[in-house]
């Protein structure tokens, strides 16, 4: 493609866009963002020497055209499927992905690190970070740009992909300004990017230094003001970047020469190239509904109709929203907060009912947590709805601004556990570990949708300390929902099925698998007790004592990594001396490794947390007595002579 003309590059972009649409229609995945950057992707790979020049995509939603161009077209039908391509950039997948992503706002920091490493190593390559306007709501971007400006890094280019989805303080259309794209704007941007203009501007600055100090300051202000009026770049220039834009991101004849000028510029310092694009460009259904075509399931290319399976039960996300709305109808102090994920967290449904009591703070989890803390300090009841994987980004604020002050913020962690096609970057496998270590924190995990209803009511009633509710991606099991949730006694679980000798203590939605395992174990003469902990913190000490004293074998199971619920149970058992009399305990947790994208049920199979693995674990434990050995031999034979499911 390095020898193509501008018109041929545009043709390539058109073909690339068509191919992206067809590929995603067969697999599902992220669509709208990639369609919006097709010309930009072609232009960058044409102008820059990738992978020698480092090209970093923020988040990675928009990287599908990039993957197709960089040798992965024949594997696109495997994207987000087990053993296939990642839906994001991935260092282990291609040399053209120099830095992995999945979470927003990381690209500029990575680019600054690479640029500094390049300089220390004596290399001469460019480093380019492509940032969506949504990421510009996150503080990490500005921290990185501030650092880059201070270091005055050469050959560092930040490309702002502005598709009008999130407001920016730069006078662009989503901020209410006039549309910047047109002949005048394009011509001006090309002039600003050109070496002659920069030379003249720098010469003017040098000449101004000969003037008295008040006139020097006036000249600098005039230069800054003029560029701010015409380009909206004052903010970025204050951070030390040379700003160029806004540029039409779909005009190859403009993009290529501007990028070539920036590639070849002699002046020092980092550059911000502001590119305006249209999300969903070139596919009418995605242009008309960019929110609905950001992430899609398989769809009919001709009509745009998505093949969404008929739900047998509502999603946990929707159930949370309905439960919260019912609580808010009776309590005007309840507010909902999210960090750029209203649809994903269900707060969009809350906002329709209570628009003045719902707050989307952008991709700013740190701010969301402390914002919630401030509202709690004033007597309100904030429900801070953030995916489990994204709450990690605000952990210091959870500790310092909420837990330490014992403020009653309610954290709602959707997508807990393994999350399917988004894979390891979005895994919610760590929240029980990182929240469970905090004093006074109440942590709940519903076993089903009815329990979720009750836990939202319980969280609303907790006014003396912070609390959290975690639940998985996906749908409930089809239970009839109550008209309103009831407040549960804090730190109290329940016995769901009474048995003897063997007990399974489940936290969260592994309860269904635990009951299935108990059913299968009846075939071997085992009558298993199954309990639902409900609370990871505080633990139900009485329930744990009962299970330990009345059974020979105790299994704990959770949808979390090591260090979570099971660790707390084992700690309590040890301190109480309940392990001293021969009780056999096995914790079943997500293994100590990253589990890549696949269907959730296959991920849990890989993690060893489905009913078959629970049954195998029980049989392996009771197999140490004569009766158990016979059971184990029978079970192993039914599995083809190989006992599976035991965790190493």
């Amino acid at each position: 493609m390095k020898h193509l003309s501008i018109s041929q590059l545009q043709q390539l972009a058109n073909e690339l866009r068509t191919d992206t649409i067809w590929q995603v229609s067969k697999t599902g995945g992220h669509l709208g963002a990639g369609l919006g950057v097709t010309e930009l992707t072609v232009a960058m790979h044409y102008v820059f020497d990738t992978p020698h020049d480092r090209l970093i995509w923020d988040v990675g939603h928009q990287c599908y055209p990039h993957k197709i161009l960089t040798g992965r077209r024949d594997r696109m039908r495997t994207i987000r499927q087990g053993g296939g391509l990642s839906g994001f950039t991935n260092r282990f997948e291609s040399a053209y992905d120099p830095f992995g992503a999945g979470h927003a706002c990381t690209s500029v920091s990575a680019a600054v690190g690479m640029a500094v490493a390049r300089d220390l190593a004596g290399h001469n390559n460019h480093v380019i970070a492509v940032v969506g306007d949504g990421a510009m709501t996150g503080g990490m971007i500005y921290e990185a740009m501030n650092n880059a400006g201070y270091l005055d890094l050469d050959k560092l280019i930040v490309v702002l992909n502005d598709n009008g989805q999130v407001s920016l303080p730069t006078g662009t259309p989503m901020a209410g300004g006039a549309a910047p794209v047109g002949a005048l704007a394009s011509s001006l941007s090309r002039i600003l990017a050109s070496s002659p203009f920069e030379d003249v501007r720098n010469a003017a600055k040098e000449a101004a230094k000969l003037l008295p100090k008040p006139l020097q300051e006036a000249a600098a202000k005039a230069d800054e003001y003029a560029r701010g009026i015409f380009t909206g770049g004052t903010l970025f220039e204050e951070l030390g970047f040379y700003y160029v834009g806004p540029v039409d991101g779909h005009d190859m004849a403009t993009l290529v020469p501007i990028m070539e000028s920036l590639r070849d510029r002699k002046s020092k310092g980092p550059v911000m190239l502001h590119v305006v694009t249209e999300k969903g460009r070139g596919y009418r259904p995605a242009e008309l509904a960019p929110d609905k075509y950001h992430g899609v399931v398989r769809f009919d290319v001709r009509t745009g109709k998505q093949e969404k399976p008929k739900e047998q039960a509502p999603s946990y996300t929707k159930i949370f929203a309905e439960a919260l709305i019912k609580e808010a109808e009776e309590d005007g102090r309840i507010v909902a907060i999210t960090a750029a994920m209203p649809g994903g967290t269900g707060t969009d449904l809350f906002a329709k009912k209570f628009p003045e009591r719902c707050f989307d703070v952008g991709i700013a989890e740190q701010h969301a947590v402390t914002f919630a803390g401030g509202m709690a300090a004033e007597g309100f009841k904030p429900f801070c709805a953030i995916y489990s994987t994204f709450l990690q980004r605000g952990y210091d604020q959870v500790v310092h601004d909420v837990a330490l002050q014992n403020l009653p913020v309610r954290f709602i962690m959707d997508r807990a556990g393994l999350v399917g096609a988004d894979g390891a970057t979005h895994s919610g496998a760590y929240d029980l570990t990182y929240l469970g270590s905090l004093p006074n924190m109440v942590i709940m995990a519903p076993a089903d949708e009815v329990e979720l209803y009750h836990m939202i009511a319980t969280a609303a009633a907790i006014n003396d300390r912070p609390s959290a509710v975690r639940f998985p991606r996906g749908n409930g099991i089809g239970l009839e929902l109550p008209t309103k949730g009831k407040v549960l006694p804090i730190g109290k679980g329940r016995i769901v099925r009474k048995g003897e000798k063997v007990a399974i203590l489940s936290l969260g939605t592994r309860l269904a698998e635990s009951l299935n395992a108990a059913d299968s174990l009846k075939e071997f003469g085992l009558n298993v007790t199954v309990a639902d902990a409900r609370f990871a913190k505080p633990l139900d000490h009485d329930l744990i004592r009962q299970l330990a004293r009345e059974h020979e074998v105790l299994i704990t199971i959770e949808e979390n990594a090591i260090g979570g619920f099971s660790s707390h149970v084992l700690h309590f058992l040890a301190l109480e001396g309940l392990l001293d009399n021969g009780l056999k305990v096995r914790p079943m947790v997500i293994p100590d490794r990253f589990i890549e994208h696949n269907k959730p049920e296959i991920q849990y199979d890989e993690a060893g947390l489905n009913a078959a693995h629970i049954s195998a674990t029980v049989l392996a434990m009771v197999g140490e007595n004569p009766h158990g050995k016979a059971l184990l031999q029978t079970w192993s034979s039914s599995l083809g002579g190989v006992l599976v499911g035991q965790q190493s």
Side-chain angles (χ1 to χ4, degrees):
M1 64 179 289
K2 295 291 185 181
H3 304 292
L4 297 181
S5 66
I6 294 294
S7 62
Q8 289 172 325
L9 289 173
Q10 185 60 62
Q11 181 181 343
L12 174 61
N14 295 341
E15 294 172 359
L16 180 59
R17 178 175 283 110
T18 300
D19 196 47
T20 301
I21 294 168
W22 278 103
Q23 299 281 11
V24 178
S25 75
K26 301 301 182 184
T27 63
H30 294 104
L31 180 64
L35 298 183
V37 299
T38 306
E39 285 84 3
L40 178 62
T41 303
V42 170
M44 288 189 297
H45 280 292
Y46 174 78
V47 171
F48 295 100
D49 182 22
T50 56
H52 176 68
D53 288 332
R54 309 293 194 248
L55 176 57
I56 307 167
W57 297 89
D58 205 82
V59 186
H61 291 151
Q62 70 282 64
C63 72
Y64 289 23
H66 160 78
K67 287 181 183 254
I68 293 171
L69 274 185
T70 53
R72 287 167 276 184
R73 182 172 183 265
D74 61 338
R75 297 186 63 204
M76 286 301 292
R77 296 289 174 93
T78 72
I79 202 161
R80 290 163 55 90
Q81 299 174 42
L85 295 176
S86 169
F88 307 101
T89 52
N90 189 320
R91 279 174 51 82
F92 306 108
E93 191 176 286
S94 171
Y96 287 90
D97 295 354
F99 202 81
H103 291 195
C105 310
T106 64
S107 61
V108 182
S109 294
V112 172
M114 288 182 175
V116 170
R118 171 204 64 200
D119 293 345
L120 291 174
H123 298 154
N124 197 38
N125 58 285
H126 285 82
V127 182
I128 306 101
V130 184
V131 185
D133 53 2
M136 300 303 290
T137 63
M140 188 175 173
I141 290 288
Y142 298 95
E143 294 172 19
M145 290 181 66
N146 183 56
N147 188 214
Y150 172 77
L151 294 172
D152 202 26
L153 292 169
D154 291 336
K155 298 192 174 182
L156 172 66
I157 300 173
V158 175
V159 179
L160 169 56
N161 172 37
D162 176 357
N163 60 27
Q165 295 296 300
V166 179
S167 181
L168 279 172
T170 55
T172 54
M174 55 283 187
V181 179
L184 177 60
S186 297
S187 297
L188 179 59
S189 296
R190 293 179 69 167
I191 292 170
L192 292 173
S194 68
S195 295
F197 176 84
E198 234 183 314
D199 292 343
V200 170
R201 186 167 178 244
N202 291 336
K205 286 184 177 181
E206 291 299 317
K209 291 178 182 179
L210 302 176
L211 300 173
K213 189 171 182 62
L215 293 180
Q216 288 184 38
E217 294 175 354
K221 287 290 184 184
D223 175 75
E224 174 187 309
Y225 180 66
R227 286 178 55 76
I229 288 176
F230 285 107
T231 70
T234 303
L235 170 64
F236 303 119
E237 294 225 327
E238 288 291 341
L239 292 171
F241 277 70
Y242 181 76
Y243 174 88
V244 176
V247 177
D248 184 347
H250 303 296
D251 182 0
M252 197 72 72
T254 299
L255 278 175
V256 169
I258 286 178
M259 286 188 179
E260 289 174 334
S261 295
L262 296 178
R263 179 196 62 194
D264 300 333
R265 71 191 293 264
K266 305 302 181 186
S267 301
K268 289 179 63 63
V271 174
M272 162 68 78
L273 174 60
H274 182 174
V275 177
V276 177
T277 63
E278 179 186 13
K279 194 170 185 177
R281 175 83 168 198
Y283 186 53
R284 192 60 175 164
E287 291 176 350
L288 294 175
D291 56 333
K292 291 182 173 60
Y293 286 84
H294 170 74
V296 297
V297 295
R298 292 189 299 176
F299 62 93
D300 185 322
V301 173
R302 292 170 299 173
T303 64
K305 184 177 180 180
Q306 298 187 45
E307 300 175 8
K308 294 185 178 180
K310 186 176 181 180
E311 295 183 349
Q312 301 301 314
S315 69
Y316 282 106
T317 303
K318 185 177 180 181
I319 293 164
F320 153 66
E322 291 177 353
L324 184 61
I325 287 169
K326 289 187 176 181
E327 296 298 324
E329 287 173 342
E330 297 182 6
D331 191 338
R333 295 172 297 168
I334 289 177
V335 297
I337 300 166
T338 191
M341 296 298 294
T345 60
T347 52
D348 59 335
L349 301 177
F350 185 89
K352 290 178 181 178
K353 182 77 173 180
F354 304 106
E356 74 286 354
R357 290 158 60 184
C358 189
F359 305 92
D360 181 353
V361 303
I363 305 175
E365 292 84 1
Q366 293 177 319
H367 167 61
V369 172
T370 305
F371 173 55
M375 297 199 79
E378 292 298 317
F380 278 77
K381 294 184 173 183
F383 280 73
C384 191
I386 300 175
Y387 287 5
S388 170
T389 186
F390 295 145
L391 188 59
Q392 297 162 184
R393 297 159 65 96
Y395 186 62
D396 179 64
Q397 286 67 32
V398 173
V399 176
H400 182 269
D401 299 337
V402 174
L404 192 62
Q405 302 186 80
N406 216 29
L407 291 170
V409 173
R410 293 98 178 144
F411 295 104
I412 305 300
M413 298 177 293
D414 201 330
R415 273 60 167 183
L418 301 174
V419 297
D422 282 336
T425 60
H426 286 61
S427 176
Y430 313 108
D431 55 79
L432 290 177
T433 305
Y434 67 71
L435 291 182
S437 60
L438 301 179
N440 297 326
M441 181 72 71
V442 176
I443 307 174
M444 298 171 269
D448 53 52
E449 58 264 55
V450 173
E451 287 289 298
L452 177 56
Y453 242 77
H454 296 330
M455 289 179 182
I456 298 306
T458 304
I462 297 174
N463 290 313
D464 60 346
R465 52 189 146 167
S467 59
V469 182
R470 75 186 310 258
F471 51 87
R473 181 177 193 164
N475 295 23
I477 58 178
L479 300 179
E480 183 178 352
L481 296 172
T483 55
K484 191 177 184 299
K486 65 180 182 181
V487 177
L488 302 172
I490 303 298
K492 290 297 177 183
R494 57 179 177 143
I495 291 180
V496 180
R497 181 181 297 179
K498 185 74 168 124
E500 57 187 15
K501 292 188 179 179
V502 176
I504 302 171
L505 178 57
S506 171
L507 179 74
T509 57
R510 288 297 97 185
L511 180 66
E513 293 295 317
S514 300
L515 290 169
N516 289 339
D519 288 339
S520 69
L521 289 167
K522 287 179 181 179
E523 300 176 16
F524 300 93
L526 293 175
N527 186 19
V528 176
T529 294
V530 180
D532 174 17
R534 280 181 167 163
F535 292 83
K537 193 171 184 179
L539 292 174
D540 188 341
H541 292 169
D542 293 336
L543 175 61
I544 295 171
R545 288 191 189 99
Q546 179 184 349
L547 297 177
R549 289 169 177 163
E550 296 180 1
H551 300 82
E552 300 172 7
V553 170
L554 174 61
I555 290 173
T556 61
I557 186 166
E558 63 189 290
E559 298 160 331
N560 195 81
I562 189 171
F565 169 68
S566 298
S567 296
H568 286 263
V569 172
L570 283 167
H571 185 79
F572 172 74
L573 290 170
L575 291 179
E576 288 280 304
L578 294 169
L579 298 174
D580 300 347
N581 297 315
L583 176 68
K584 300 174 184 177
V585 182
R586 294 292 185 273
M588 297 186 72
V589 302
I590 293 174
D592 190 23
R593 56 187 170 82
F594 296 113
I595 294 181
E596 296 300 335
H597 51 279
N598 213 319
K599 295 179 180 179
E601 59 269 25
I602 296 177
Q603 289 182 316
Y604 279 112
D605 231 23
E606 186 180 339
L609 294 177
N610 285 332
H613 309 97
I614 300 170
S615 298
T617 301
V618 169
L619 290 170
M621 294 175 73
V622 301
E624 295 179 20
N625 59 57
H627 176 62
K629 285 181 179 179
L631 292 176
L632 184 58
Q633 186 174 4
T634 302
W635 177 258
S636 182
S637 297
S638 71
L639 295 173
V642 179
L643 181 64
V644 298
Q646 296 184 68
Q647 295 189 340
S648 59

